[in-house]
Every structure is written in structure tokens, then in C-alpha cells.
Amino acid sequence: MNAQDIRSKFLQFFESKKHSIVPSAPMVLKNDPTLMFVNSGMAPFKEYFLGNAEPKNTRLTDTQKCLRVSGKHNDLEEVGYDTYHHTLFEMLGNWSFGDYFKEEAIAWAWELLVDVYKIDKDILYVTVFEGSDDADNLSLDTEAFDIWKKHISEDRILKGNKKDNFWEMGDQGPCGPCSEIHVDIRTPEEKAKVDGKSLVNQDHPQVVEIWNLVFMQYNRKANGSLEPLPNKHIDTGMGFERLCMVLQDKKSNYDTDVFTPIIREIETITNTNYGKNEKTNIAIRVISDHVRAVAFSIADGQLPSNTGAGYVIRRILRRAVRYGFTFLNTKEPFIYRLVEVLAQKMGEAFPELISQKQLIENVIREEEASFLRTLEQGLSLLDSIVETTKGKEVLGSKVFELKDTYGFPEDLTDLILREKGYTYNTEEFNAELEKQKQRGRESSALQSDDWTILLEDNEQEFIGYDRLEAQVRLVKYRKVTSKKEGEQFQLVFNLTPFYPEGGGQVGDKGYLEAPNGDVIYILDTKKENSVVIHISKNLPNNLNDSFKAVVDVKQRFRTECNHTATHLLHQGLREILGTHVEQKGSSVHSKYLRFDFSHFSKVTAEQLEEVEAFVNARIAGKLALQEQRNVPMDEAINDGAMALFGEKYGDTVRTIRFGQSIELCGGTHVKNTSDIWHFKITSESAVASGIRRIEAITNDAVKDYFETVDNEYVAIKHLLNNTKEPAKAVLTLQDENTALKKEIEKLLKDKAKNLKGDLKAEITEENGVAFLAKQIDLDAGGIKDLCFELGSQYSNLFLLFGAENDGKAILSCYISKELVAEKGLNAGQVVRELGKHIQGGGGGQSFFATAGGKNPSGIAQALEEAKNYIK
Ligand code: ATP
Ligand code: MG
């Protein structure tokens, strides 16, 4: 069965059990401070488990892109070395939200594996949670145990500890006991030697877990305690690539058709063979795995960068480049060339790989090239470190500096040093690394207390589309402390007019007013999952009061002008540059807007003017806002609304329409485009290969801009004697300036020529030497030219010129080569010795040398003593 079929069989099976098939959520998470990437199938459904949102069906099934490269679940270092852990993998799942529980979950898992996929049940083992006698004090999951007994012989049911059989997404959140299903795919000979039972959960490459059925019944709180969830849920996750390995009768995920096409391509490009040599194998596995992670992430809108999620992606790609560089001898970008096969192979299930192929390739190629340059630079730095090292051990601090300042990875340093017969001090290196980590922890440490709940069971409502003021009650609050912001409070209200930062738009500011008139400022508003959090420096005195919550109207309005303008800009860019333009990032502030989009060349000045005119025409057109809430997603898309990759949408969406511009958008907007008054682009630049950035301003900011420009214009006109045509006047000035420069050049040349004639007349003959020592009025370059011109006419010339320039003294000495040879004279020595009079030093060659000094009054004395040299 090929991978495609295996995937669809899974989804169809659960569809037949009344599940709705839903698409994979984007891999990169926004609005979740506890998690950077989706690391398991359940992450996108967290809000359903916590009861903060409702799914459209209590039974869902999907295949979810997961990335395990940071935080609690981090498999990065395993990847490539073993044959069954990936960075990016698909997790097939079936979900019950307060619907069926253990009975059906277990029965269906068994039915699918044994009856549908026809896996021999004699290669299967299952586990149940044995309980824990720690603070959680949980007992054996007898419920699961008894259900399993109906399907599988008891000696194949193993009891497992908390590490393997109690599933937690992170330090906080929904969790519960689980039952894993393992396969033993060893040969009969191997099985005869060692019982499979003893290999379960022992990291054996052919006795591996394929499916985990999690019985979600608790919520882990920030203080570490467990509380029962209001409803019990099922969360299952089956590793798609591992399932393919079993069903395709392979011993490694990399031998399935998920990976073989990519591996074949790597072999062709790098002229290597997979399966011949372990180092090569590891490198090929690393690369074939990492290109998937990076490509999917870029398709989801997360480009490699220097911070946060972008940095994780950059590190993954660099790991791949490094393995290629070291073990496959690849010195040119090549990983981007694998995107083609990947898109062919997986594009059907994940169409974003096809639609964004060019961008993915460009970004990867550029990253590769830049990291390869880093590697080259690192190699030469490493050479010079080795040269200056006494003994055979390089300082750990040097290796750290290579890594920290130049981005040159320590394992590569280690490898190269070994080849040269060197080592480095790892203790010293680790100490430096620890120091750096400590600095990082200190600057970013954020500590949050548990929530204090004031109103139980209070769903909160956002009313900020319609109102900017409301009477609100405090539902819960907590204190958070960070190095950067100090102590702050996070407040949650029963309803709120404050827009939380999201969709690129900044969060609202404003204030809370207590009945007695006391005021507390809201500094920012953010969203954590679906909860709106208001940030303040203080708490109200009486927490149970009803408060007047007031949004800062001015800031909100300016932000809205910029948000609406962003939509018009997006429309304009697609109209003028073409429909390949796709939003790649947007940041809407009260003072300006920033819009990143895919486009493969610089936007010309004419195009920018056109775009500006396009937007301003729509502002002048007085287009009214048409907002629709709760539109079914398909309907909105059919209407022509644009959905963004990497954005997570619900089943129903909100659409914002101004004339022909229709976008899915949760942000706030002006009532009419005429509110924007005017739109002005302030800059256009590149952000990454194939991605451009436009910054622009609207309304008051444009007024300020015009005022500044106008003031400047008036000042310029004034300087130009209030001429009516300043630009023309400047042109005239420029022309005049050019003419004057030419004239000066000519005059200087003439002067030098005259000077040469005059000086020649002053040269005297003494002891067979043509001699002149004199102070002249030229700079060092002029003197040099003069020396060589005069020098070309003599074969016995000795010149010493002194000059004063900007308060500094120079002495230049010229001696014909013949004199140098005959009399052993040396210009360098002359200026060194005479240089003491001008309090300076210098040098040069035996026939020409110059000294500089800070005492011009010594020039005369130096010139005086020049004669001594030819006596
Ligand atoms: P393992 O112990 O093998 O690392 P796990 O306990 O971390 O697995 P779960 O968190 O329970 O796995 O995830 C559910 C399923 O997802 C696993 O049964 C496995 O099939 C798959 N899986 C987990 N991690 C990876 C990975 N890094 N690469 C590929 N598949 C994975
Ligand atoms: Mg794991």
C-alpha cells in the first residue's frame, strides 16, 4: 500500500465511525506562549479540550503536521542517527471531545490495525499506565487494561510508567494516562533470541511505538497540580511514517515511499549511495528529513530568521547543510533542489507545497549559500587559530567565539581539529556556553503565578468590533514578572472592548475606571489561545467592582486607518504586480503599517507610484466597510476572500470588504475608506530572497509627513533666493559646481607644472649630487608625484621636501636609485632620523620615504640637516 493510500484509509475509517475529516492546522503556532510549534496532533485542539471553544463535531479525524525540535518534545539530535524519529512528521489522529472514551477508542484502533490494515496481531504489544505514587498519586488504569483484554492476549499487555504512559503536551494543559501500541518487526531469528516484550520502550529500532491513545481526563495547572477536566476526551496519535514502515514491510521509515524519492534525488545530486557507509547514511537521512521540516515551515509562512521559531528553522536547515558539507562533500547549495520531488510527492495532501514552491526554493537556496559562506569563513579562521595554538589543544573560548560570533558549529570545529590532530578544551567551551545561556535566561525569564479566579465559569466575550467602552467585571488575574517589564498584571474580563494583538494588528491600550473614579491604565492587550489578556502595572483596589473599560480611541482609529490601508495595498499590489503577490507578514501599528509579500524583484518607483495611486483612488472613492461575521469558510472563499497560509481559521470566519477587496480578517477597520484621508508609501526593501517589504503611513502621519516635507521645501527655496523653480535652480548650481571643479583641477595642474620648473632651477650640484631641500605647499600625494617627475629627469637626485598640512608636518625624501646603490643612501633612514624634528616617524623604501609628525615648526631644522647626508 503506498503512503497516499495508507493516509486516506485512516481518514476514511474514522469517517465511517462518524468523524469529520479536518485539514492539518499550520505547524507554526501564534498566540500560544507555551508552545512554538505544533508538536502533537492535539495541540491545535487544545482550546476544545480546555472547554474554551467548541468543535463543529465532537468526533474529528485528521493528519497533523508536527515538529519536534524544541521544548518538551525535542527529537532533533536523534534525527538521522535512528530510523524512526523525524523532525517533521505526520500524526494521524482520531478525536473525541466529550463524546466516546476508552471503550471505542481501543476497539477502533484494534479494528483498524488488524482488520483494515491487516497487521498480524502477533507483532503487536500494548501498554497501560501502571499508576504513580508521587505527588499525583494515580492508580493503575484498570479500565484500559480490562478493555484491552477483550482484544489481545493478556501477556501482550504491558504496564508502563509515567514517562511512557502518562501523556502531557507541555508543563501545563490537558493530560492523562495513555495506552501505546508497539510493533515488533524483527526477523523470526531475532525474535527467537530475545522476547519482544523485553524490548518495548527500550529504543530498539525495530520494536517501536506506532500509536498512542491518550485518555484525556486532567488539566495540569501552573503550580504542578492536576485537576479533572469537566469532560473526558480521546486524543490519539499515530506516526504516519512508522505506520508506512510496518505496512510496506520495511525496517526503517527512510525505506518507505515517503522518503525514497527524496533520497534517490540526494544520491543523484551528490553522487553518493545510500546504504553503503554509515556516515553517508546519517547525512542523507538528516537532509531528507530536514528539507521536509524547512519546506513545510516556509509554506506555513515561517521563514528562517534570527529569533524565535524562525531561528529554530534556520538551525534545522543549517544542520542539514553541515551534514552535507561534512559527509557528502557538498560545497554548493543543493537542498533547495529537493523541493521539486517533495512537492510532487506530497503536494496532493499538502497543496501549499506546490503553490509556494518557488518561494520555498528561493529561501532555502539563499540560506544555504549564506551558511556555506559562513562555513568557508569559519574554516579559514580555524586555520589561523590552529597556527597560533601552542601544543595540541585549542582554547575552548576560541571555539565558542567561532560558534557565537561567526556561527561556526562546534561539532564541525571538533571534527576538523581531530583531522588535524588537535583537540579543544570542552570544559572551557561548556563553561562559556553556560554563561551565555545564563545571560539569556536572565534577560528573558518570565515567571507567572497561577490565576486567581474571581468569577467561576465565566465565558468572556469580545465586543470591540462594535463598542469602545463597556462596563466589565474582572473574571481572573495573575501576576507575571519578567526582567524586561518587571512586575505586571494580566487581567481577564467577562467582556471586553479591547482588541487583542493579532492578525498583525497591535493590541489596544486604554484604561479601567473604578466606581470611585480611580483609574488603571491598560498598557497592551494580547491573546493567549482564545483568552483576551489585558496588561496593567497595577491591580484595582476593589477587585469585585464593576469597571468602565475604555479603549484609547485615537490610537485605535489610527491603527484602523493603517489596517484598512493594508487591505487596499494588498489588493493594489496584486492588481499592479500580479497575483503571485501573497501576504507574507503584516504589522499594523498606530503610526505606520508594514507589509511583506512575495515578489521576485525590486518594485520600481513607477510601480510604487501606481500602487499609491491605486490605494488613494479607493480612499477618494469613499468605500464603505462591509463586514460579515460567522460566514462559513467555504462560502467566504467562494466569494473571493483570500485566506493566508499558516493562518488558522475556524469553521466560520469574518470577512472584511471594501469595494473589490475581500479578506478574511479578525482585525478592526475604519467605517469608510475616506476616513484614511491619504496613503503614502515611505519605503520599499527586501526582507529575504523573493520577499519584499513596503512601509507606509496614513492620515495624521501623512499630514505630519507633508508638513515636514513642506518646511524643508520652504527652507530650500529660501536658500535659493525664493526662486519659483527650486529644482531647476539646484540643477544650475550643480552644473556650475562641476564646471568649477574642472577649472580648479586645471589650475592645480598648471601650478604643479610651474612649481616643477621653479624647483628645477633651485637644484644645486654638490659632490656629484643634484640636491634640493625645501618647504613647499603641497599635500603628500602632490609631493610624491613631484618627486617622481623630477626624479625621472636625473640619475643623481637627492630631494627632501617638507610641508605643513592642517597643522601637521610631513617630510618626504627622494633619492635616485643609482645614488642609493653607489653611496649607500637610504630615504627611509633619512626620514626616520630627520623625523625627530617634527616629532614624528615614518618610513618607506630606500628611494622614496615619507614621515609624518605633529610639529611643523621643526621642518626648517630638518631641511637644514639634509645637507649632511651628501657631504
Ligand atoms: P517515541 O517514544 O518513539 O519517541 P513518543 O512517546 O514521543 O514516541 P507520542 O508523543 O506518543 O510519541 O506520539 C504519538 C506517535 O507519534 C508515536 O506513537 C509515534 O508513532 C509518532 N512519533 C512520535 N515522535 C515522532 C518522531 N519524532 N518522528 C516520527 N514519529 C513520531
Ligand atoms: Mg518521543
Side-chain angles (χ1 to χ4, degrees), residues 68 73 75 84-87 89 91 167 180 201 209-212 237-239 241-242 253:
R68 292 200 169 174
H73 291 281
D75 293 335
Y84 59 105
H85 279 100
H86 304 296
T87 55
F89 63 99
M91 206 186 272
W167 205 88
E180 307 158 333
N201 274 329
E209 177 192 326
I210 55 165
W211 203 350
N212 195 354
M238 173 144 64
E241 299 76 8
R242 292 188 193 176
N253 288 4

PDB file of all heavy atoms in Angstrom, residues 68 73 75 84-87 89 91 167 180 201 209-212 237-239 241-242 253, ligand 1:
ATOM      1  N   ARG A  68       9.018  18.308  16.127  1.00  0.00           N
ATOM      2  CA  ARG A  68       9.542  18.088  17.484  1.00  0.00           C
ATOM      3  C   ARG A  68      10.996  18.508  17.553  1.00  0.00           C
ATOM      4  O   ARG A  68      11.907  17.675  17.489  1.00  0.00           O
ATOM      5  CB  ARG A  68       9.378  16.624  17.889  1.00  0.00           C
ATOM      6  CG  ARG A  68       7.929  16.268  18.070  1.00  0.00           C
ATOM      7  CD  ARG A  68       7.725  15.025  18.907  1.00  0.00           C
ATOM      8  NE  ARG A  68       6.310  14.916  19.229  1.00  0.00           N
ATOM      9  CZ  ARG A  68       5.758  13.883  19.852  1.00  0.00           C
ATOM     10  NH1 ARG A  68       6.510  12.865  20.233  1.00  0.00           N
ATOM     11  NH2 ARG A  68       4.471  13.870  20.111  1.00  0.00           N
ATOM     12  N   HIS A  73       9.143  18.261  23.795  1.00  0.00           N
ATOM     13  CA  HIS A  73       9.376  17.176  22.849  1.00  0.00           C
ATOM     14  C   HIS A  73      10.408  17.637  21.819  1.00  0.00           C
ATOM     15  O   HIS A  73      10.101  18.432  20.952  1.00  0.00           O
ATOM     16  CB  HIS A  73       8.087  16.797  22.119  1.00  0.00           C
ATOM     17  CG  HIS A  73       7.091  16.145  23.030  1.00  0.00           C
ATOM     18  ND1 HIS A  73       7.180  14.830  23.387  1.00  0.00           N
ATOM     19  CD2 HIS A  73       6.000  16.641  23.653  1.00  0.00           C
ATOM     20  CE1 HIS A  73       6.178  14.534  24.190  1.00  0.00           C
ATOM     21  NE2 HIS A  73       5.439  15.614  24.378  1.00  0.00           N
ATOM     22  N   ASP A  75      13.243  15.981  19.349  1.00  0.00           N
ATOM     23  CA  ASP A  75      13.910  14.776  18.828  1.00  0.00           C
ATOM     24  C   ASP A  75      15.062  15.115  17.885  1.00  0.00           C
ATOM     25  O   ASP A  75      15.665  14.223  17.279  1.00  0.00           O
ATOM     26  CB  ASP A  75      12.889  13.893  18.073  1.00  0.00           C
ATOM     27  CG  ASP A  75      11.850  13.301  19.025  1.00  0.00           C
ATOM     28  OD1 ASP A  75      12.165  13.170  20.216  1.00  0.00           O
ATOM     29  OD2 ASP A  75      10.742  12.976  18.567  1.00  0.00           O
ATOM     30  N   TYR A  84      13.632   6.089  12.947  1.00  0.00           N
ATOM     31  CA  TYR A  84      12.198   6.247  13.186  1.00  0.00           C
ATOM     32  C   TYR A  84      11.788   7.523  13.904  1.00  0.00           C
ATOM     33  O   TYR A  84      10.637   7.663  14.299  1.00  0.00           O
ATOM     34  CB  TYR A  84      11.646   5.010  13.919  1.00  0.00           C
ATOM     35  CG  TYR A  84      12.310   4.723  15.258  1.00  0.00           C
ATOM     36  CD1 TYR A  84      11.659   5.001  16.452  1.00  0.00           C
ATOM     37  CD2 TYR A  84      13.590   4.172  15.307  1.00  0.00           C
ATOM     38  CE1 TYR A  84      12.267   4.739  17.672  1.00  0.00           C
ATOM     39  CE2 TYR A  84      14.199   3.920  16.527  1.00  0.00           C
ATOM     40  CZ  TYR A  84      13.530   4.198  17.704  1.00  0.00           C
ATOM     41  OH  TYR A  84      14.135   3.952  18.902  1.00  0.00           O
ATOM     42  N   HIS A  85      12.727   8.450  14.134  1.00  0.00           N
ATOM     43  CA  HIS A  85      12.347   9.770  14.648  1.00  0.00           C
ATOM     44  C   HIS A  85      12.618  10.814  13.584  1.00  0.00           C
ATOM     45  O   HIS A  85      13.691  10.816  12.978  1.00  0.00           O
ATOM     46  CB  HIS A  85      13.150  10.136  15.900  1.00  0.00           C
ATOM     47  CG  HIS A  85      12.627   9.514  17.152  1.00  0.00           C
ATOM     48  ND1 HIS A  85      13.194   8.400  17.703  1.00  0.00           N
ATOM     49  CD2 HIS A  85      11.573   9.850  17.948  1.00  0.00           C
ATOM     50  CE1 HIS A  85      12.521   8.069  18.803  1.00  0.00           C
ATOM     51  NE2 HIS A  85      11.528   8.931  18.972  1.00  0.00           N
ATOM     52  N   HIS A  86      11.660  11.700  13.399  1.00  0.00           N
ATOM     53  CA  HIS A  86      11.823  12.793  12.444  1.00  0.00           C
ATOM     54  C   HIS A  86      11.660  14.123  13.143  1.00  0.00           C
ATOM     55  O   HIS A  86      11.140  14.187  14.253  1.00  0.00           O
ATOM     56  CB  HIS A  86      10.783  12.689  11.329  1.00  0.00           C
ATOM     57  CG  HIS A  86      10.824  11.383  10.623  1.00  0.00           C
ATOM     58  ND1 HIS A  86      11.921  10.981   9.891  1.00  0.00           N
ATOM     59  CD2 HIS A  86       9.932  10.373  10.567  1.00  0.00           C
ATOM     60  CE1 HIS A  86      11.696   9.774   9.408  1.00  0.00           C
ATOM     61  NE2 HIS A  86      10.499   9.376   9.793  1.00  0.00           N
ATOM     62  N   THR A  87      12.085  15.161  12.462  1.00  0.00           N
ATOM     63  CA  THR A  87      11.753  16.493  12.982  1.00  0.00           C
ATOM     64  C   THR A  87      10.291  16.729  12.626  1.00  0.00           C
ATOM     65  O   THR A  87       9.447  16.794  13.486  1.00  0.00           O
ATOM     66  CB  THR A  87      12.659  17.575  12.364  1.00  0.00           C
ATOM     67  OG1 THR A  87      12.583  17.497  10.941  1.00  0.00           O
ATOM     68  CG2 THR A  87      14.083  17.431  12.823  1.00  0.00           C
ATOM     69  N   PHE A  89       6.903  15.277  11.168  1.00  0.00           N
ATOM     70  CA  PHE A  89       6.225  14.029  10.815  1.00  0.00           C
ATOM     71  C   PHE A  89       4.727  14.271  10.846  1.00  0.00           C
ATOM     72  O   PHE A  89       4.258  15.292  11.342  1.00  0.00           O
ATOM     73  CB  PHE A  89       6.635  12.888  11.746  1.00  0.00           C
ATOM     74  CG  PHE A  89       6.266  13.098  13.189  1.00  0.00           C
ATOM     75  CD1 PHE A  89       5.129  12.506  13.728  1.00  0.00           C
ATOM     76  CD2 PHE A  89       7.048  13.879  14.013  1.00  0.00           C
ATOM     77  CE1 PHE A  89       4.791  12.696  15.065  1.00  0.00           C
ATOM     78  CE2 PHE A  89       6.716  14.074  15.350  1.00  0.00           C
ATOM     79  CZ  PHE A  89       5.583  13.472  15.874  1.00  0.00           C
ATOM     80  N   MET A  91       1.076  13.144  12.131  1.00  0.00           N
ATOM     81  CA  MET A  91       0.438  12.354  13.156  1.00  0.00           C
ATOM     82  C   MET A  91      -1.023  12.160  12.777  1.00  0.00           C
ATOM     83  O   MET A  91      -1.783  13.114  12.670  1.00  0.00           O
ATOM     84  CB  MET A  91       0.564  13.034  14.513  1.00  0.00           C
ATOM     85  CG  MET A  91       0.493  12.044  15.654  1.00  0.00           C
ATOM     86  SD  MET A  91       0.467  12.825  17.262  1.00  0.00           S
ATOM     87  CE  MET A  91       2.187  12.970  17.628  1.00  0.00           C
ATOM     88  N   TRP A 167       0.524  11.056  29.300  1.00  0.00           N
ATOM     89  CA  TRP A 167       0.883  11.991  28.243  1.00  0.00           C
ATOM     90  C   TRP A 167       0.621  13.441  28.637  1.00  0.00           C
ATOM     91  O   TRP A 167      -0.473  13.777  29.077  1.00  0.00           O
ATOM     92  CB  TRP A 167       0.117  11.676  26.959  1.00  0.00           C
ATOM     93  CG  TRP A 167       0.879  12.193  25.783  1.00  0.00           C
ATOM     94  CD1 TRP A 167       1.841  11.536  25.086  1.00  0.00           C
ATOM     95  CD2 TRP A 167       0.773  13.486  25.217  1.00  0.00           C
ATOM     96  NE1 TRP A 167       2.350  12.355  24.116  1.00  0.00           N
ATOM     97  CE2 TRP A 167       1.722  13.555  24.168  1.00  0.00           C
ATOM     98  CE3 TRP A 167      -0.010  14.615  25.499  1.00  0.00           C
ATOM     99  CZ2 TRP A 167       1.893  14.685  23.392  1.00  0.00           C
ATOM    100  CZ3 TRP A 167       0.165  15.750  24.727  1.00  0.00           C
ATOM    101  CH2 TRP A 167       1.107  15.771  23.682  1.00  0.00           C
ATOM    102  N   GLU A 180      -0.163   2.758  24.669  1.00  0.00           N
ATOM    103  CA  GLU A 180       0.582   2.801  23.414  1.00  0.00           C
ATOM    104  C   GLU A 180       0.462   1.465  22.709  1.00  0.00           C
ATOM    105  O   GLU A 180       0.303   0.431  23.345  1.00  0.00           O
ATOM    106  CB  GLU A 180       2.063   3.051  23.664  1.00  0.00           C
ATOM    107  CG  GLU A 180       2.394   4.237  24.512  1.00  0.00           C
ATOM    108  CD  GLU A 180       3.786   4.074  25.130  1.00  0.00           C
ATOM    109  OE1 GLU A 180       4.240   2.917  25.325  1.00  0.00           O
ATOM    110  OE2 GLU A 180       4.408   5.095  25.401  1.00  0.00           O
ATOM    111  N   ASN A 201       9.631  -0.088  24.465  1.00  0.00           N
ATOM    112  CA  ASN A 201      10.099   1.155  25.087  1.00  0.00           C
ATOM    113  C   ASN A 201      11.569   1.096  25.497  1.00  0.00           C
ATOM    114  O   ASN A 201      11.973   1.707  26.476  1.00  0.00           O
ATOM    115  CB  ASN A 201       9.234   1.521  26.306  1.00  0.00           C
ATOM    116  CG  ASN A 201       8.015   2.320  25.859  1.00  0.00           C
ATOM    117  OD1 ASN A 201       8.075   3.060  24.876  1.00  0.00           O
ATOM    118  ND2 ASN A 201       6.910   2.188  26.579  1.00  0.00           N
ATOM    119  N   GLU A 209       7.081   2.169  19.033  1.00  0.00           N
ATOM    120  CA  GLU A 209       5.712   2.603  19.267  1.00  0.00           C
ATOM    121  C   GLU A 209       5.165   3.166  17.961  1.00  0.00           C
ATOM    122  O   GLU A 209       5.835   3.946  17.298  1.00  0.00           O
ATOM    123  CB  GLU A 209       5.732   3.690  20.342  1.00  0.00           C
ATOM    124  CG  GLU A 209       4.384   4.278  20.635  1.00  0.00           C
ATOM    125  CD  GLU A 209       4.492   5.546  21.486  1.00  0.00           C
ATOM    126  OE1 GLU A 209       5.393   5.646  22.336  1.00  0.00           O
ATOM    127  OE2 GLU A 209       3.656   6.434  21.265  1.00  0.00           O
ATOM    128  N   ILE A 210       3.936   2.766  17.597  1.00  0.00           N
ATOM    129  CA  ILE A 210       3.350   3.403  16.428  1.00  0.00           C
ATOM    130  C   ILE A 210       2.160   4.289  16.769  1.00  0.00           C
ATOM    131  O   ILE A 210       1.880   5.254  16.089  1.00  0.00           O
ATOM    132  CB  ILE A 210       2.924   2.383  15.329  1.00  0.00           C
ATOM    133  CG1 ILE A 210       1.988   1.324  15.883  1.00  0.00           C
ATOM    134  CG2 ILE A 210       4.142   1.791  14.650  1.00  0.00           C
ATOM    135  CD1 ILE A 210       1.275   0.544  14.767  1.00  0.00           C
ATOM    136  N   TRP A 211       1.451   3.955  17.841  1.00  0.00           N
ATOM    137  CA  TRP A 211       0.214   4.700  18.095  1.00  0.00           C
ATOM    138  C   TRP A 211       0.073   4.919  19.584  1.00  0.00           C
ATOM    139  O   TRP A 211       0.358   4.008  20.378  1.00  0.00           O
ATOM    140  CB  TRP A 211      -0.974   3.882  17.571  1.00  0.00           C
ATOM    141  CG  TRP A 211      -2.211   4.677  17.248  1.00  0.00           C
ATOM    142  CD1 TRP A 211      -2.454   5.984  17.548  1.00  0.00           C
ATOM    143  CD2 TRP A 211      -3.373   4.211  16.548  1.00  0.00           C
ATOM    144  NE1 TRP A 211      -3.679   6.371  17.078  1.00  0.00           N
ATOM    145  CE2 TRP A 211      -4.276   5.293  16.453  1.00  0.00           C
ATOM    146  CE3 TRP A 211      -3.734   2.987  15.990  1.00  0.00           C
ATOM    147  CZ2 TRP A 211      -5.522   5.190  15.827  1.00  0.00           C
ATOM    148  CZ3 TRP A 211      -4.973   2.884  15.372  1.00  0.00           C
ATOM    149  CH2 TRP A 211      -5.862   3.972  15.285  1.00  0.00           C
ATOM    150  N   ASN A 212      -0.365   6.084  19.911  1.00  0.00           N
ATOM    151  CA  ASN A 212      -0.594   6.390  21.319  1.00  0.00           C
ATOM    152  C   ASN A 212      -2.037   6.840  21.494  1.00  0.00           C
ATOM    153  O   ASN A 212      -2.484   7.777  20.827  1.00  0.00           O
ATOM    154  CB  ASN A 212       0.377   7.487  21.767  1.00  0.00           C
ATOM    155  CG  ASN A 212       0.446   7.596  23.279  1.00  0.00           C
ATOM    156  OD1 ASN A 212      -0.311   6.922  23.993  1.00  0.00           O
ATOM    157  ND2 ASN A 212       1.335   8.431  23.763  1.00  0.00           N
ATOM    158  N   GLY A 237      -2.700   9.540  18.545  1.00  0.00           N
ATOM    159  CA  GLY A 237      -1.707   9.984  17.577  1.00  0.00           C
ATOM    160  C   GLY A 237      -0.932   8.792  17.055  1.00  0.00           C
ATOM    161  O   GLY A 237      -0.335   8.040  17.829  1.00  0.00           O
ATOM    162  N   MET A 238      -1.001   8.598  15.745  1.00  0.00           N
ATOM    163  CA  MET A 238      -0.229   7.502  15.151  1.00  0.00           C
ATOM    164  C   MET A 238       0.793   8.115  14.200  1.00  0.00           C
ATOM    165  O   MET A 238       0.460   8.932  13.336  1.00  0.00           O
ATOM    166  CB  MET A 238      -1.144   6.545  14.388  1.00  0.00           C
ATOM    167  CG  MET A 238      -0.359   5.485  13.607  1.00  0.00           C
ATOM    168  SD  MET A 238      -1.145   3.895  13.559  1.00  0.00           S
ATOM    169  CE  MET A 238      -2.633   4.250  12.664  1.00  0.00           C
ATOM    170  N   GLY A 239       2.041   7.687  14.352  1.00  0.00           N
ATOM    171  CA  GLY A 239       3.101   8.188  13.479  1.00  0.00           C
ATOM    172  C   GLY A 239       2.901   7.621  12.074  1.00  0.00           C
ATOM    173  O   GLY A 239       3.025   6.424  11.873  1.00  0.00           O
ATOM    174  N   GLU A 241       4.667   7.926   9.280  1.00  0.00           N
ATOM    175  CA  GLU A 241       5.840   7.347   8.618  1.00  0.00           C
ATOM    176  C   GLU A 241       6.160   5.974   9.188  1.00  0.00           C
ATOM    177  O   GLU A 241       6.601   5.073   8.467  1.00  0.00           O
ATOM    178  CB  GLU A 241       7.047   8.284   8.758  1.00  0.00           C
ATOM    179  CG  GLU A 241       6.868   9.665   8.126  1.00  0.00           C
ATOM    180  CD  GLU A 241       5.989  10.603   8.946  1.00  0.00           C
ATOM    181  OE1 GLU A 241       5.621  10.244  10.087  1.00  0.00           O
ATOM    182  OE2 GLU A 241       5.637  11.684   8.444  1.00  0.00           O
ATOM    183  N   ARG A 242       5.931   5.814  10.510  1.00  0.00           N
ATOM    184  CA  ARG A 242       6.182   4.499  11.131  1.00  0.00           C
ATOM    185  C   ARG A 242       5.146   3.487  10.661  1.00  0.00           C
ATOM    186  O   ARG A 242       5.461   2.311  10.443  1.00  0.00           O
ATOM    187  CB  ARG A 242       6.139   4.618  12.660  1.00  0.00           C
ATOM    188  CG  ARG A 242       7.293   5.436  13.206  1.00  0.00           C
ATOM    189  CD  ARG A 242       7.336   5.360  14.727  1.00  0.00           C
ATOM    190  NE  ARG A 242       8.235   6.379  15.260  1.00  0.00           N
ATOM    191  CZ  ARG A 242       8.414   6.614  16.545  1.00  0.00           C
ATOM    192  NH1 ARG A 242       7.746   5.915  17.454  1.00  0.00           N
ATOM    193  NH2 ARG A 242       9.250   7.557  16.949  1.00  0.00           N
ATOM    194  N   ASN A 253      11.898   3.902   8.511  1.00  0.00           N
ATOM    195  CA  ASN A 253      10.979   4.872   7.895  1.00  0.00           C
ATOM    196  C   ASN A 253      11.553   5.384   6.570  1.00  0.00           C
ATOM    197  O   ASN A 253      10.816   5.746   5.660  1.00  0.00           O
ATOM    198  CB  ASN A 253      10.795   6.093   8.801  1.00  0.00           C
ATOM    199  CG  ASN A 253       9.951   5.785  10.037  1.00  0.00           C
ATOM    200  OD1 ASN A 253       9.573   4.635  10.246  1.00  0.00           O
ATOM    201  ND2 ASN A 253       9.675   6.788  10.830  1.00  0.00           N
TER     202      ASN A 253
HETATM  203  P1  ATP B   1       8.902   7.757  20.985  1.00  0.00           P
HETATM  204  O1  ATP B   1       8.977   7.215  22.365  1.00  0.00           O
HETATM  205  O2  ATP B   1       9.103   6.757  19.928  1.00  0.00           O
HETATM  206  O3  ATP B   1       9.712   8.991  20.815  1.00  0.00           O
HETATM  207  P2  ATP B   1       6.628   9.270  21.766  1.00  0.00           P
HETATM  208  O4  ATP B   1       6.235   8.604  23.025  1.00  0.00           O
HETATM  209  O5  ATP B   1       7.436  10.508  21.857  1.00  0.00           O
HETATM  210  O6  ATP B   1       7.381   8.233  20.814  1.00  0.00           O
HETATM  211  P3  ATP B   1       3.981  10.264  21.229  1.00  0.00           P
HETATM  212  O7  ATP B   1       4.308  11.576  21.813  1.00  0.00           O
HETATM  213  O8  ATP B   1       3.088   9.395  21.979  1.00  0.00           O
HETATM  214  O9  ATP B   1       5.339   9.503  20.878  1.00  0.00           O
HETATM  215  O10 ATP B   1       3.426  10.485  19.737  1.00  0.00           O
HETATM  216  C1  ATP B   1       2.484   9.620  19.111  1.00  0.00           C
HETATM  217  C2  ATP B   1       3.072   8.898  17.927  1.00  0.00           C
HETATM  218  O11 ATP B   1       3.749   9.762  17.056  1.00  0.00           O
HETATM  219  C3  ATP B   1       4.096   7.864  18.300  1.00  0.00           C
HETATM  220  O12 ATP B   1       3.462   6.661  18.612  1.00  0.00           O
HETATM  221  C4  ATP B   1       4.932   7.743  17.057  1.00  0.00           C
HETATM  222  O13 ATP B   1       4.356   6.836  16.153  1.00  0.00           O
HETATM  223  C5  ATP B   1       4.856   9.111  16.462  1.00  0.00           C
HETATM  224  N1  ATP B   1       6.072   9.878  16.730  1.00  0.00           N
HETATM  225  C6  ATP B   1       6.438  10.481  17.880  1.00  0.00           C
HETATM  226  N2  ATP B   1       7.581  11.174  17.747  1.00  0.00           N
HETATM  227  C7  ATP B   1       7.950  11.013  16.465  1.00  0.00           C
HETATM  228  C8  ATP B   1       9.031  11.494  15.702  1.00  0.00           C
HETATM  229  N3  ATP B   1       9.963  12.290  16.221  1.00  0.00           N
HETATM  230  N4  ATP B   1       9.098  11.119  14.407  1.00  0.00           N
HETATM  231  C9  ATP B   1       8.159  10.332  13.840  1.00  0.00           C
HETATM  232  N5  ATP B   1       7.109   9.849  14.521  1.00  0.00           N
HETATM  233  C10 ATP B   1       6.998  10.179  15.809  1.00  0.00           C
END
